[in-house]
Amino acid sequence: MKRAFKFRFYPTDMQAAVLARTFGCVRKVYNLALAARSEAWSVRRERLTYDATSAMLTGWKKSEELAFLNEVSAVPLQQVLRHLQTAFTSFFAKRARYPRFKSRKRSRRSAEYTRSAFRWRDGLAVDGHGVAGRGRTLVRVPAL
């Protein structure tokens, strides 16, 4: 049995800044991975897997122009690669359309944190960047 919990979240100014940065980095990684996978298929007729895009993420984080990816938790960045893998699996199984790039204006600002991303402090689960949650938490904030 699966359960879902909804929590109203009122972030502090510092948490709002961290979340905004996280949402932007998640969108950037998704778009970079989608571009890499699309280019690999159109040029070399090669399918990239989650493992290949995860290795690319490591390289992107080491590059100078994408060093800002190190400022956010790595868990949402890995989760977005898993979501992209699921999107491609559904596409190749003819259950969905080809994945589309995420727009800065029109995309849903969300990030998924897994249970391993948190540590307990004062009865709350807190990640290394000051965002609190419980269990496998999907953080969606409509407007900051």
Side-chain angles (χ1 to χ4, degrees), residues 19-57:
L19 284 172
R21 191 176 318 121
T22 301
F23 297 151
C25 289
V26 164
R27 182 181 47 80
K28 181 71 171 174
V29 167
Y30 181 90
N31 288 339
L32 285 171
L34 179 56
R37 290 178 81 139
S38 298
E39 186 262 336
W41 179 254
S42 64
V43 173
R44 299 183 302 272
R45 293 287 184 228
E46 173 187 4
R47 286 189 185 178
L48 292 181
T49 62
Y50 165 77
D51 295 331
T53 54
S54 181
M56 286 179 177
L57 175 61

Side-chain angles (χ1 to χ4, degrees), residues 89-102:
T89 301
S90 296
F91 169 72
F92 288 123
K94 300 187 188 303
R95 291 189 306 262
R97 296 183 347 189
Y98 193 81
R100 291 186 277 180
F101 289 95
K102 292 186 181 291

